[in-house]
Amino acid sequence: MVFVLVALVVLALLASVHRYVWRRFVGDTTAPGSTLRTVGTVAAFVLPLLSLGAMTSGRIGAPFWLQQALAWPGFLWLACLMYLTLALLVGEVVRPVLGRVLARRDAAAATHATAGTGTSGTAVDGTLAATASATRPRTEELVPAGRTCPSTSADPAPATAPAAEPGPEAVRDTERADPSAPADARPAAPAPGITHPSRRLFVSRVVGGAAAAAGLATVGYGTANVLRGPSVQRVTVPLAKLPRAAHGFRIAVVSDIHIGPILGRAHTRRIVDTINSTSPDLVAVVGDLVDGSVADLGSAAEPLAGLRARHGSFFVTGNHEYFSGAEQWVNHVRELGLLPLENARVEMGGFDLAGVNDIAGETEGQGPDFVRALGDRDRGRAAVLLAHQPVVIHDAVEHGVDLQLSGHTHGGQLWPGNYLAELANPTVAGLERYGDTQLFVSRGAGAWGPPVRVGAPADVTVVELASRQA
């Protein structure tokens, strides 16, 4: 029941956001019945359906080719929707300011035009009156003496009758008669008929165009961040119990690779090449390797067999493995040469390396078991724990772990998602201390959902252990 209510709230929210985006980008900027409005309206219905299909096709077991066909446009639209909406919200602040600026400009232009028209009209009227007075024939000169003008006697004109309105010919005659009159005293030629969009339409188009450019550019930049592969980060972690012989031991930490319908074999190969370029002593894959079944993605994961490290490569499950068939993936990565640590521990030269299953495994009776992984160890030795989610740090502190290596957060992946990630995780990215235990959280090497990263670039981190005895 709770799931249904949450789903309804999410759908209502998405519908509202799509309505808002349509109104600002289409309804406010296009004419009713126009081709652009028709195209925009169709897109407003089709794109959210693609997104819904991208999010659900894998869960309902749709054919993998269909998952791939829906994934790129569906997930990319979710990222576009997010940043277009944020840009439009900023535009809501700009919109009234721009409207006021344009209104003041138009008012100033109208005032200037009115003042110019008044001056010109006065000059023309004066010129016309002078011309008419000079050229009007006198009655006594036209009518012989002793006779009366019939029109004058029958309908005498009042002495105060207004002068006739000058026509175009009179104006032209006046100009010819007085060529020395200043240019601004002459009547202006009528402006040709030009149709301008209304101020409101102009503001909507300017703000909408700027918002579209900013939103789409952000998504393009974030997509490039994912497709070019992770960068290498380095961090040194001093451990009090680490012996001098293990000083400088390098662990290549990679999390959240998310092989799936979008990020496939080429993505895996880029990550493997990046890890191998660091020549690590040990590779730690800390969960969320895949988004799909072994049948669909097994070949895409095969480049992992090329990982090279002096002390081997290790793997722990993440929550997405339990959406994809965790047992099958554990067996598959073992075949590729990685050693899964399922609530288990191995002794390295100068420290213990332990791993626990992800919390999501509790639904299958395979959750984290710290007692099994760490309960009987020698606490005089340093311990490094691989655990996908940072939230288990308190269990690690309780069991005397010196360093926990985690992922899961993606560093927020899409700004401002990092603020939401902070609400659910003790650490979103980087190294922090909790009591005697240090926690390092990787931003991950891939992306979930939209193949886009903004403000949280993908990385592989080389954690160098330092002995305080060295």
Side-chain angles (χ1 to χ4, degrees):
M1 185 63 180
V2 174
F3 175 79
V4 173
L5 290 175
V6 171
L8 290 176
V9 170
V10 171
L11 289 175
L13 178 62
L14 285 175
S16 300
V17 172
H18 278 90
R19 170 65 181 173
Y20 169 69
V21 169
W22 177 89
R23 180 166 63 88
R24 285 307 191 201
F25 281 125
V26 181
D28 291 350
T29 61
T30 60
S34 66
T35 301
L36 286 177
R37 177 166 291 198
T38 301
V39 171
T41 302
V42 170
F45 282 95
V46 172
L47 290 172
L49 292 177
L50 290 174
S51 298
L52 185 62
M55 290 186 291
T56 60
S57 59
R59 299 293 180 90
I60 65 176
F64 190 63
W65 63 266
L66 180 59
Q67 296 180 41
Q68 291 177 305
L70 294 172
W72 269 105
F75 283 124
L76 272 181
W77 170 243
L78 288 178
C80 290
L81 179 66
M82 175 179 173
Y83 286 107
L84 290 175
T85 302
L86 290 175
L88 285 175
L89 292 176
V90 174
E92 298 297 346
V93 179
V94 177
R95 185 183 299 272
V97 175
L98 180 59
R100 284 195 292 270
V101 170
L102 294 177
R104 291 174 182 172
R105 185 199 67 179
D106 293 345
T111 301
H112 179 73
T114 302
T117 302
T119 302
S120 177
T122 301
V124 172
D125 290 346
T127 303
L128 291 175
T131 304
S133 175
T135 60
R136 184 186 300 119
R138 297 183 179 181
T139 303
E140 57 269 26
E141 295 175 354
L142 298 177
V143 180
R147 300 187 63 181
T148 304
C149 178
S151 60
T152 304
S153 60
D155 188 15
T160 59
E165 188 74 23
E169 293 297 329
V171 173
R172 285 195 290 271
D173 290 342
T174 302
E175 291 175 347
R176 285 195 296 270
D178 189 12
S180 63
D184 60 355
R186 301 176 186 177
I194 301 177
T195 303
H196 294 283
S198 69
R199 186 187 309 135
R200 181 177 178 181
L201 179 61
F202 177 76
V203 169
S204 295
R205 288 178 174 175
V206 169
V207 173
L216 296 178
T218 300
V219 173
Y221 168 78
T223 303
N225 279 342
V226 173
L227 296 184
R228 67 168 166 250
S231 60
V232 176
Q233 306 295 320
R234 298 178 185 274
V235 61
T236 299
V237 181
L239 300 179
K241 301 175 186 176
L242 190 71
R244 184 188 298 269
H247 178 75
F249 192 97
R250 289 170 294 110
I251 303 174
V253 181
V254 60
S255 72
D256 303 281
I257 296 175
H258 286 289
I259 304 169
I262 293 179
L263 302 174
R265 188 183 181 96
H267 171 65
T268 310
R269 169 55 59 191
R270 284 192 295 269
I271 293 171
V272 169
D273 291 343
T274 300
I275 293 173
N276 288 344
S277 70
T278 68
S279 301
D281 297 307
L282 182 149
V283 176
V285 182
V286 287
D288 279 7
L289 172 64
V290 292
D291 284 308
S293 67
V294 172
D296 292 332
L297 298 172
S299 61
E302 286 178 356
L304 293 173
L307 287 171
R308 298 288 178 264
R310 287 196 304 154
H311 295 276
S313 301
F314 297 84
F315 169 78
V316 293
T317 56
N319 54 309
H320 282 248
E321 271 71 63
Y322 293 96
F323 305 150
S324 309
E327 184 177 353
Q328 289 80 10
W329 275 111
V330 166
N331 292 333
H332 189 65
V333 298
R334 183 180 286 111
E335 293 171 357
L336 295 176
L338 284 76
L339 177 61
L341 292 176
E342 298 181 276
N343 297 322
R345 182 181 76 255
V346 294
E347 292 185 359
M348 309 303 294
F351 62 95
D352 294 336
L353 180 69
V356 292
N357 295 344
D358 186 70
I359 300 171
E362 292 176 347
T363 59
E364 302 178 13
Q366 300 177 9
D369 189 337
F370 287 87
V371 173
R372 179 180 169 189
L374 298 164
D376 59 347
R377 74 178 193 86
D378 178 6
R379 290 211 175 191
R381 289 170 55 87
V384 177
L385 174 68
L386 309 184
H388 178 63
Q389 298 195 40
V391 293
V392 301
I393 182 61
H394 304 296
D395 294 289
V397 172
E398 181 181 346
H399 288 83
V401 170
D402 297 276
L403 173 63
Q404 175 179 317
L405 302 175
S406 298
H408 183 65
T409 68
H410 296 210
Q413 185 170 327
L414 297 170
W415 181 93
N418 54 302
Y419 298 111
L420 295 177
E422 288 176 357
L423 299 177
N425 297 277
T427 298
V428 173
L431 182 67
E432 291 187 356
R433 176 178 289 276
Y434 295 83
D436 293 330
T437 302
Q438 297 181 78
L439 168 64
F440 176 79
V441 180
S442 168
R443 289 192 297 250
W448 179 79
V452 181
R453 279 180 171 267
V454 178
D459 65 39
V460 169
T461 302
V462 177
V463 175
E464 184 173 336
L465 305 182
S467 171
R468 291 184 176 175
Q469 303 173 23

